[in-house]
Amino acid sequence: MNWERRLYLTAHPFAYPLLRGLARRGPVVRVPRLGVVVNDARLARDVLMDGETFRKDGPGSPGDLWTPILGPSVLLNMEGEGHRALRRRLTGLFTPSYVDGLCARILAGPLARLTDRLAEGGEVDLVDTMRVMAGTVIGEVIGLEATSDDDYRGLFEQGEEIVSMVSLRTRRFSPAQLERAKAVLDPLGDIAAKAYAAGDDSTVMGRMRALGLSEDEARGAAGAFFLTGTETVATLVPRLVALLHDSGSLSRVAAEPKLLDRAIDEAMRVTTPTPVMLRSVHGSVQLGGVAVRPGDRVLIATHNCCRAYGPFDLDRPHPPELRRLWFGAGPHFCLGYPLAMAEIRAVVRALLAAGPLEITRREAARGVLIPTYRRFVVREAA
């Protein structure tokens, strides 16, 4: 069994075999009590591009989950003109030059400690390292004034706990889950609001104010960035290093830096940081030969769509319908994509520059939504 399959089975011992089994049933499958499951990348992209028929703000959609926690205006639960207007105001938030500079500045210390540790012959647990780094970046985004790595670990763990409440069958959070989520997110919203009020346009919250967002919109956006922007990066880097190592490609990417973005995209295809996406149907249409109607729930099995193209292969071209599907498509393509890429590049470049790496220990994590390693320890190869 390869390690990627092991990670998925450890995280979702029952749901993952079900999900992969549905891939063999055809491009679109209606599953009682679950919804209409889409397993084909082209059809998935069609759904994501049709925001009138397949929406994020109806029954069974992300809006059902997140609006009670984050408020009504956080992009991930919006459609129509309201979504387009907010998206336009946020377009300049994460420009490549800004996120590159932000990551270079705030990750300089953690990256120096990482490379020094490896140069001294020490072992590094990339799972813990990435929790701290992801927490550092998202802490900067929301305006958190942390004083230690433990603060950033705690921030990551809080987000992980909330996200882990979601399963394939989850349509709404229970009152107890809502209470727990708000206990975490409300104080972070207060921190974000303080940074917003300060109006420093060198900060993300200050930039939101300058871009014309209200305080409530900025609070909601900070919560959404916190929930979506920590686990994606933190879980990907150890899995990317593992895929490169296990495929014998680490030294190749180290020797050819221009391959790094291709390696990241291919690793994201295989790991699929958003294994499933949800939409609510608001019109009667045919989807891959299956009739769908208002009130249906569409479950895009992004993982099935991506894994249909085979195992990890650094030389695999991605066809147009697949291109970064794991980050969405069209008007809902992930706003934080440039920030995630900047952070991943910064860390992986530092690891590759440290020299040949070997894996000394790894262990799959249980009880998580996004499959990941519980421990992934590397050191410089002898």
Side-chain angles (χ1 to χ4, degrees):
M1 185 189 302
N2 67 48
W3 270 97
E4 274 301 311
R5 179 170 172 78
R6 186 178 302 185
L7 294 180
Y8 266 97
L9 284 173
T10 303
H12 303 291
F14 303 108
Y16 185 65
L18 169 64
L19 189 71
R20 295 300 287 146
L22 291 173
R24 296 189 288 272
R25 297 283 302 278
V28 180
V29 185
R30 181 178 289 277
V31 182
R33 295 189 296 176
L34 189 61
V36 177
V37 180
V38 178
N39 298 307
D40 176 81
R42 181 183 60 80
L43 293 173
R45 188 169 292 275
D46 289 345
V47 169
L48 294 173
M49 296 295 289
D50 183 357
E52 295 302 316
T53 306
F54 305 100
R55 300 174 64 95
K56 299 188 76 172
D57 59 355
S61 74
D64 263 6
L65 279 175
W66 300 115
T67 298
I69 298 172
L70 297 173
S73 303
V74 290
L75 290 183
L76 57 78
N77 59 359
M78 299 175 68
E79 291 290 357
E81 182 53 38
H83 176 267
R84 288 189 290 272
L86 182 57
R87 180 89 187 196
R88 283 194 296 269
R89 280 185 286 163
L90 287 168
T91 297
L93 187 62
F94 292 130
T95 63
S97 60
Y98 177 76
V99 296
D100 285 346
L102 182 147
C103 289
R105 173 172 55 84
I106 65 176
L107 293 181
L111 288 176
R113 292 193 292 273
L114 169 65
T115 53
D116 286 348
R117 175 71 175 166
L118 291 171
E120 293 166 358
E123 294 186 333
V124 172
D125 182 358
L126 285 185
V127 172
D128 182 66
T129 296
M130 287 312 304
R131 288 180 170 218
V132 171
M133 291 199 189
T136 300
V137 171
I138 205 66
E140 177 75 10
V141 167
I142 65 177
L144 177 70
E145 297 177 359
T147 58
S148 71
D149 286 354
D150 283 342
D151 291 336
Y152 295 124
R153 287 188 187 95
L155 188 64
F156 178 89
E157 288 166 3
Q158 287 178 321
E160 185 179 50
E161 180 183 351
I162 295 174
V163 172
S164 294
M165 294 190 301
V166 181
S167 73
L168 284 179
R169 294 181 179 274
T170 304
R171 293 175 180 257
R172 293 182 178 88
F173 289 126
S174 69
Q177 289 173 323
L178 285 174
E179 184 178 352
R180 175 56 188 150
K182 289 181 177 181
V184 171
L185 291 172
D186 285 352
L188 294 180
D190 293 340
I191 292 169
K194 181 179 177 181
Y196 173 92
D200 182 354
D201 62 10
S202 69
T203 67
V204 173
M205 300 309 300
R207 285 163 65 85
M208 287 191 201
R209 180 173 178 173
L211 290 169
L213 272 72
S214 69
E215 181 178 309
D216 285 344
E217 288 173 330
R219 283 180 69 117
F225 294 148
F226 169 68
L227 290 175
T228 61
T230 50
E231 282 197 87
T232 297
V233 174
T235 59
L236 177 77
V237 170
R239 293 168 78 180
L240 168 58
V241 172
L243 286 165
L244 290 173
H245 173 276
D246 295 348
S247 65
S249 305
L250 262 176
S251 58
R252 180 184 173 191
V253 177
E256 300 180 62
K258 66 181 180 180
L259 293 178
L260 179 56
D261 277 9
R262 186 192 304 175
I264 294 171
D265 277 349
E266 178 64 358
M268 285 190 171
R269 179 189 70 82
V270 172
T271 62
T272 325
T274 310
V276 169
M277 299 180 188
L278 302 175
R279 291 295 187 271
S280 176
V281 179
H282 285 244
S284 296
V285 296
Q286 289 283 322
L287 181 60
V290 174
V292 297
R293 50 192 178 271
D296 279 346
R297 180 197 200 208
V298 169
L299 189 152
I300 300 171
T302 325
H303 184 70
N304 288 346
C305 297
C306 293
R307 290 308 302 267
Y309 293 84
F312 182 84
D313 182 350
L314 196 55
D315 296 310
R316 183 186 308 282
H318 289 186
E321 67 271 16
L322 183 62
R323 183 173 172 79
R324 295 174 185 146
L325 186 67
W326 45 89
F327 277 122
H332 283 291
F333 186 78
C334 178
L335 187 73
Y337 166 75
L339 179 61
M341 289 295 291
E343 186 177 350
I344 292 164
R345 286 191 199 106
V347 178
V348 177
R349 281 173 181 157
L351 288 168
L352 294 174
L357 299 174
E358 63 179 7
I359 302 168
T360 61
R361 292 193 302 280
R362 53 177 149 178
E363 178 184 345
R366 301 180 185 277
V368 293
L369 177 64
I370 300 178
T372 187
Y373 287 97
R374 179 174 179 269
R375 181 177 292 107
F376 188 84
V377 182
V378 299
R379 68 183 178 196
E380 282 194 15

